[in-house]
Amino acid sequence: MDLQYPIGRVDVPEIVDMTHIHRWIEDMQRTPSHLREAVQGLSQSQLDTPYRPGGWTVRQVIHHLPDSHAQAYLNFRLGLAQSRPEARSAPINAWASMPDSLAGEIEPSLALFNGLQARWVLLLKTLSRSDFDRTIHFPNQGDRSLATLLAIYAWHGKHHVKHITALRDRMGW
């Protein structure tokens, strides 16, 4: 298993249909409970174990998810409210190195991630197919559709949950 990409890299089809979109929305809805299940019962020392050599700790991954998804959610909303807005990128490594990410209790981040995903899903379920074709401009990656952003963040949550569950499996936790 590739420890960095245990579910593979994100793969967005060239042609996105509503079946893809509905599946990604379901993934977004399920991921918070999967994350909570993945960390259930972990000790403080287990939370401070990197999921792979050179990788973040489980605690950092947990804090990273709401940080990253909050930035993406705001970019997504900008994409709905404005024509081709400029996206802001999250400085994820800097955020993961901050004291709250290194040592903070995980419950606030689990709750934040749950609420954030629920709010995003609420929005997603109201959108038309054409809404997902709207674009956001990323300075380093060019224009991306909202469908692509949804695909990336549906994958992103599952990707990090798998980091944790794969570590638990390897360690016998």
Side-chain angles (χ1 to χ4, degrees), residues 44-76:
Q44 295 299 311
S45 66
Q46 290 168 329
L47 290 171
D48 292 328
T49 303
Y51 72 87
R52 67 176 173 89
W56 289 339
T57 66
V58 172
R59 184 183 311 274
Q60 286 173 296
V61 169
I62 294 164
H63 293 310
H64 162 72
L65 279 165
D67 287 349
S68 175
H69 284 232
Q71 185 71 52
Y73 171 70
L74 293 175
N75 283 333
F76 198 96

